[in-house]
Amino acid sequence: MDIRKYTSANFGEMDKTFRRNFFNSLTGFKSLTLIGTSSEQGLPNLAPFSQVFHVGASPALLGVLFRPLTDDSHTLRNILATSFFTCNHVSPHFFEAAHQASARYPLATSEFEAVGLHTEYSELKAPYVRESVVRIGLKLAQEVKLINDTHLVVGEIIEVFAPDNIIGTDGFLDLEEAQIVTCSGLDSYHTTQKLARLPYAKQ
Amino acid sequence: MDIRKYTSANFGEMDKTFRRNFFNSLTGFKSLTLIGTSSEQGLPNLAPFSQVFHVGASPALLGVLFRPLTDDSHTLRNILATSFFTCNHVSPHFFEAAHQASARYPLATSEFEAVGLHTEYSELKAPYVRESVVRIGLKLAQEVKLINDTHLVVGEIIEVFAPDNIIGTDGFLDLEEAQIVTCSGLDSYHTTQKLARLPYAKQ
């Protein structure tokens, strides 16, 4: 196996698409989350995100990284306007619909309807995806702009919906058992096969 | 399948270990990265991290979330002292060594030696993992403290090592082909099986 070295000079020579795919896939496998929001007028919005990560257990916090703000940033604008959003994990039977929700639909279009997924509401001012078996309800807790104008949104987890049978006695959610999808780059979707759970590492 | 609802009140009733496992696994599959650093005295350090994510392609940036700073935060302290770090993806043949590197070794111990992995150096002031087939060299670009005292480190990607045969003509790195591992929660390791790569979604 030949290992190739890429330097900053090589990055500069990459065309835009190559560079985008290269760095989006470089950081490893990612979670795939459909984020549900409502506009101030109550119109549901849905879009897939893969820069979602654990921030803390107590208080329960989750982070999402958003691209720089444009007119098309419906999800981020809705979160800033209403303070609420949902994160919905994706299963193999609707990963294509999840991907399709990334298309640039006009503001007045509900991606739920456009891609054939269904809203489900709790008391939260944001829609869940009914087809999703692991769902997280959040309230905006912090917003930070990073050096490249991306926006980090930290949400406080307010409620969680998950199947009884995937929650271990130690609190671990077996996402593989729930058939949750992982993704890579901008467009590659994968299921998983467990190697092992390992005991707490001691010196 | 019975879906259970957990509210903030339920979170408060969870014991510490349950809560830690629950929220660490809730956010979905994650990349598993061994971060290599050097102390100011040149002593190599290695530790596994799973809150690593894509921040931007141009400039090429990657983010890592670190727990609140303590005396044991060797990786974060080394990055702040030297400005450099490496991210090394993990394969099935050494995921157990990667996990073992999370044990609390004293500052004077090199985790490389303790877990049986090997350093490899370029011009960068931080060690790579020789066993890793996809490696990223970074320079500290931004540090932000979040509301729960976790530290977000944004690194500028300076160099990348990857096998020739996994890099597509469109720049996509096929991490599954390279047998890169994904993880879930604090201790669960997985390989992947591709469902599909999907074309750019249009309305």
Side-chain angles (χ1 to χ4, degrees), chain A residues 5-190:
Chain A
K5 177 177 179 177
Y6 293 85
T7 63
S8 300
N10 301 129
F11 305 162
E13 289 157 7
M14 294 174 174
D15 79 40
K16 202 180 160 189
T17 304
F18 189 100
R19 185 169 177 145
R20 204 160 150 256
N21 281 318
F22 185 85
F23 287 108
N24 267 282
S25 53
L26 180 63
T27 43
F29 288 101
K30 309 184 278 190
S31 61
L32 172 63
T33 305
L34 280 166
I35 297 190
T37 55
S38 287
S39 68
E40 280 190 285
Q41 292 74 36
L43 186 77
N45 186 280
L46 190 70
F49 288 84
S50 58
Q51 269 75 255
V52 171
F53 52 96
H54 173 71
V55 172
S58 185
L61 300 169
L62 167 160
V64 188
L65 193 72
F66 291 89
R67 293 165 54 82
L69 202 64
T70 69
D71 286 347
D72 290 328
S73 309
H74 303 160
T75 300
L76 180 54
R77 288 191 189 280
N78 284 348
I79 293 172
L80 296 177
T82 67
S83 288
F84 291 97
F85 61 110
T86 71
C87 287
N88 305 268
H89 284 304
V90 175
S91 303
H93 69 92
F94 66 97
F95 81 98
E96 283 152 315
H99 182 79
Q100 183 57 34
S102 67
R104 286 193 189 188
Y105 293 105
L107 187 57
T109 301
S110 161
E111 288 83 3
F112 283 94
E113 284 181 28
V115 307
L117 293 172
H118 298 87
T119 57
E120 185 152 306
Y121 287 90
S122 69
E123 297 78 43
L124 213 75
K125 218 154 73 180
Y128 288 99
V129 176
R130 194 201 296 164
E131 286 78 0
S132 172
V133 294
V134 179
R135 305 173 217 149
I136 310 167
L138 300 114
K139 181 165 192 240
L140 176 64
Q142 187 178 19
E143 192 218 351
V144 184
K145 205 199 248 195
L146 302 185
I147 40 169
N148 64 343
D149 286 340
T150 53
H151 289 253
L152 172 63
V153 164
V154 179
E156 186 186 344
I157 300 173
I158 289 175
E159 56 185 23
V160 172
F161 297 84
D164 243 355
N165 66 313
I166 68 156
I167 302 167
T169 51
D170 64 353
F172 176 74
L173 274 78
D174 191 335
L175 299 181
E176 183 166 303
E177 179 68 29
Q179 292 199 286
I180 300 302
V181 163
T182 176
C183 68
S184 171
L186 294 159
D187 51 24
S188 190
Y189 299 93
H190 310 251

Side-chain angles (χ1 to χ4, degrees), chain A residues 1-8 11 17-31 33 51-62 65 89 92 95-96 99-100 102-106 122-123 132-136 141-142 144-148 150 152 154 157-165 167-173 175-176 180-182 184-185 187-203, chain B residues 1-8 11 17-31 33 51-62 65 89 92 95-96 99-100 102-106 122-123 132-136 141-142 144-148 150 152 154 157-165 167-173 175-176 180-182 184-185 187-203:
Chain A
M1 187 165 52
D2 286 334
I3 301 272
R4 185 180 288 206
K5 177 177 179 177
Y6 293 85
T7 63
S8 300
F11 305 162
T17 304
F18 189 100
R19 185 169 177 145
R20 204 160 150 256
N21 281 318
F22 185 85
F23 287 108
N24 267 282
S25 53
L26 180 63
T27 43
F29 288 101
K30 309 184 278 190
S31 61
T33 305
Q51 269 75 255
V52 171
F53 52 96
H54 173 71
V55 172
S58 185
L61 300 169
L62 167 160
L65 193 72
H89 284 304
F95 81 98
E96 283 152 315
H99 182 79
Q100 183 57 34
S102 67
R104 286 193 189 188
Y105 293 105
S122 69
E123 297 78 43
S132 172
V133 294
V134 179
R135 305 173 217 149
I136 310 167
Q142 187 178 19
V144 184
K145 205 199 248 195
L146 302 185
I147 40 169
N148 64 343
T150 53
L152 172 63
V154 179
I157 300 173
I158 289 175
E159 56 185 23
V160 172
F161 297 84
D164 243 355
N165 66 313
I167 302 167
T169 51
D170 64 353
F172 176 74
L173 274 78
L175 299 181
E176 183 166 303
I180 300 302
V181 163
T182 176
S184 171
D187 51 24
S188 190
Y189 299 93
H190 310 251
T191 56
T192 62
Q193 276 196 306
K194 192 172 289 182
L195 288 164
R197 276 192 78 189
L198 298 180
Y200 186 78
K202 287 180 184 154
Q203 192 189 328
Chain B
M1 187 165 53
D2 288 333
I3 301 272
R4 184 180 289 206
K5 177 177 179 177
Y6 293 85
T7 64
S8 300
F11 304 161
T17 303
F18 189 100
R19 184 168 178 147
R20 206 160 150 257
N21 281 316
F22 185 85
F23 287 108
N24 267 284
S25 52
L26 180 63
T27 43
F29 288 101
K30 310 183 277 189
S31 61
T33 305
Q51 268 75 256
V52 171
F53 53 97
H54 173 72
V55 173
S58 187
L61 300 169
L62 166 161
L65 193 72
H89 284 305
F95 81 99
E96 284 152 315
H99 182 79
Q100 182 58 33
S102 67
R104 287 195 189 188
Y105 294 104
S122 69
E123 298 78 43
S132 171
V133 293
V134 179
R135 305 172 218 150
I136 311 167
Q142 187 178 20
V144 184
K145 207 199 247 197
L146 302 185
I147 40 169
N148 64 345
T150 53
L152 172 62
V154 178
I157 300 173
I158 290 175
E159 55 185 24
V160 172
F161 298 85
D164 243 355
N165 67 311
I167 302 167
T169 52
D170 64 353
F172 177 73
L173 274 78
L175 299 180
E176 184 166 301
I180 300 302
V181 162
T182 177
S184 170
D187 51 23
S188 190
Y189 300 92
H190 310 251
T191 56
T192 62
Q193 277 197 305
K194 193 172 286 181
L195 288 164
R197 277 192 79 188
L198 298 179
Y200 187 79
K202 288 180 182 154
Q203 194 190 324

